[in-house]
Amino acid sequence: MIYFDNAATTFPKPKNVLKEVRRCIEKYCGNPGRSSHSLSVKTSEKIFETRECIAKFLNAENAENIVFTQNATYALNLAIKTQIPENSHILISNFEHNSVFRPVYSLSKKGKVSYSIFDFSNFEKDIPNLINKDTSCIISILSSNVNGKTIDFKKLSSLAQKHGLKLIIDASQYVGHKRINLKETPCDILCAPGHKALFGIQGAGFVYFKENSSADSFIEGGSGTTSSSPDMPDYLPEKYEAGTLPSPSVISISEGIKFINEVGIDEIENKSLSLTQMAKERLLNIAGVIFYGADNGVLSFNYNDIPSYVISDELNKRGICTRGGLHCAPLAHRCIGTTSHGSVRLSFSFLNKKREVEYFYSAIKDICKQYT
């Protein structure tokens, strides 16, 4: 099996990730922050170690401002639904995933906010023209899950600061691929999953808040602290971490980051770009292939007017995992003109190999011949 669906979730996981997850489940997986016995304390320590590991990886100031969630979608909903004032105006890009678009649309439908969509490719000129007296926030991906298109984070950060706007970042397809330094390139909130390019297992993501949030809690329940009060704690991370954390999933993130640090983030980025470019060059040799872009480990294409799911299914029959369809990003597909059939997406991990790209090339040539 060849796995080219790493933008959805990375597979396989590094050995150190699997080893520590198993060790957690077998040796010390108590309920963190709920008891004083050794298994609970050990799990709490490993979770705090993960906060510190993420903070260091992002060059973020306060590890306690990292809130763990079940995934990036939950993280973005938490940020959008607690940090944006009612009756304000929001700017989102035309390449946003539904994890941003749907919560923003939902708030708009309820009359709580209004929003405008800026051109991801021309954001420096477009955003200033869309700002009005009620604009409070810019929400943007850093890299597209459809074709890898990437925004200049430094320029976006500077633009938000210049206009006094809050900046919420969806780093789902960026973190683990490219270096992030939040002291050099600040944002107010950054959301990310653990199971994609950070090589963690499914079940945990996180939100980083630059400042301690003054907004209301998002869900309520047990926090392990201030239990006598009917209110949630008013400090991070407990304010937004009601209930038992998915300890093995959270802990897997720090192990994934350790793997990235051992390999080197620059080496990972270079490998990802190399595989993307190689696949692009091979596909451009096939007449009838329609190409929609390739960058940052993600490539998107179609063959003539064949629906993307047909091509993806044919590849699966040959042991190659890709993803056809709209990739939960209809705004992006509207931009590239593929809303009817979507596109076939390849997405690479550091653990993929060049020979796998060559095998894919051989397979896609045969498939295209069948539909000529």
Side-chain angles (χ1 to χ4, degrees):
M1 188 206 66
I2 294 174
Y3 186 82
F4 288 158
D5 195 21
N6 291 281
T9 191
T10 47
F11 182 88
K13 305 298 182 183
K15 291 180 180 179
N16 68 302
V17 172
L18 301 177
K19 181 179 178 181
E20 189 59 35
V21 167
R22 179 165 185 165
R23 196 170 83 87
C24 171
I25 294 170
E26 290 183 343
K27 302 294 185 182
Y28 64 86
C29 197
N31 198 326
R34 300 302 191 271
S35 305
S36 59
H37 59 71
S38 59
L39 298 188
S40 175
V41 171
K42 174 66 173 177
T43 309
S44 297
E45 289 172 348
K46 293 295 288 186
I47 285 175
F48 189 73
E49 178 186 311
T50 301
R51 293 190 209 277
E52 291 184 315
C53 187
I54 293 170
K56 185 175 180 180
F57 187 67
L58 300 176
N59 202 13
E61 289 187 2
N62 192 346
E64 291 185 349
N65 282 12
I66 290 168
V67 172
F68 290 117
T69 62
Q70 67 190 54
N71 49 42
T73 297
Y74 190 104
L76 285 159
N77 270 265
L78 189 161
I80 291 167
K81 293 176 179 177
T82 66
Q83 304 302 308
I84 296 174
E86 285 198 19
N87 303 315
S88 67
H89 175 243
I90 307 167
L91 299 177
I92 67 172
S93 87
N94 58 355
F95 263 76
E96 293 308 309
H97 189 277
N98 274 341
S99 296
V100 167
F101 179 56
R102 282 181 169 172
V104 168
Y105 176 78
S106 176
L107 290 175
S108 172
K109 190 176 179 181
K110 295 171 184 175
K112 294 184 176 182
V113 301
S114 61
Y115 70 93
S116 298
I117 299 176
F118 66 86
D119 184 350
F120 192 72
S121 301
N122 195 32
F123 73 95
E124 288 184 274
K125 291 184 178 179
D126 212 20
I127 285 177
N129 292 330
L130 293 171
I131 293 172
N132 63 42
K133 64 181 179 59
D134 297 320
T135 306
S136 65
C137 182
I138 300 171
I139 310 173
S140 182
I141 57 166
L142 293 182
S143 187
S144 169
N145 72 314
V146 174
N147 63 3
K149 189 176 183 67
T150 300
I151 204 166
D152 189 319
F153 187 13
K154 187 173 184 178
K155 290 181 179 179
L156 180 63
S157 174
S158 297
L159 188 63
Q161 291 179 76
K162 177 181 177 181
H163 293 279
L165 301 177
K166 186 184 293 288
L167 179 60
I168 299 176
I169 290 296
D170 176 3
S172 296
Q173 302 296 331
Y174 194 94
V175 67
H177 284 282
K178 295 180 182 291
R179 194 180 302 277
I180 294 177
N181 186 330
L182 291 180
K183 287 184 180 176
E184 292 182 357
T185 311
C187 63
D188 295 279
I189 300 170
L190 183 141
C191 303
H195 66 97
K196 296 190 180 186
L198 292 182
F199 294 107
I201 65 171
Q202 296 167 17
F206 63 88
V207 188
Y208 171 71
F209 293 89
K210 184 180 179 182
E211 306 289 343
N212 190 34
S213 172
S214 60
D216 288 339
S217 53
F218 190 53
I219 62 168
E220 292 76 39
S223 62
T225 61
T226 64
S227 295
S228 63
S229 171
D231 295 314
M232 288 296 290
D234 63 356
Y235 47 83
L236 297 177
E238 286 86 352
K239 184 173 189 173
Y240 294 130
E241 286 184 353
T244 300
L245 288 174
S247 302
S249 298
V250 169
I251 291 164
S252 74
I253 299 173
S254 61
E255 293 300 316
I257 291 174
K258 288 175 187 177
F259 173 78
I260 293 168
N261 289 336
E262 183 178 334
V263 173
I265 189 72
D266 294 332
E267 183 69 19
I268 287 175
E269 181 179 5
N270 290 337
K271 174 83 174 286
S272 174
L273 292 173
S274 174
L275 292 171
T276 308
Q277 184 63 28
M278 181 181 178
K280 175 182 176 180
E281 290 171 356
R282 300 298 186 273
L283 281 168
L284 289 175
N285 289 328
I286 302 173
V289 165
I290 307 165
F291 189 69
Y292 303 110
D295 197 4
N296 200 37
V298 179
L299 179 152
S300 201
F301 76 97
N302 277 324
Y303 177 69
N304 289 329
D305 59 352
I306 307 301
S308 60
Y309 67 86
V310 173
I311 300 298
S312 191
D313 187 56
E314 289 291 342
L315 287 165
N316 184 54
K317 292 175 184 177
R318 291 161 174 79
I320 304 171
C321 301
T322 62
R323 183 173 173 184
L326 295 178
H327 313 104
C328 300
L331 294 180
H333 280 280
R334 190 182 304 164
C335 289
I336 63 177
T338 52
T339 52
S340 58
H341 294 313
S343 65
V344 182
R345 184 186 71 188
L346 310 182
S347 49
F348 304 106
S349 154
F350 178 79
L351 298 177
N352 284 124
K353 299 174 176 61
K354 289 184 177 181
R355 67 172 179 268
E356 294 176 329
V357 177
E358 295 292 6
Y359 180 80
F360 158 77
Y361 178 49
S362 176
I364 194 65
K365 283 193 297 182
D366 289 343
I367 293 167
C368 292
K369 285 179 184 177
Q370 292 181 24
Y371 290 95
T372 299

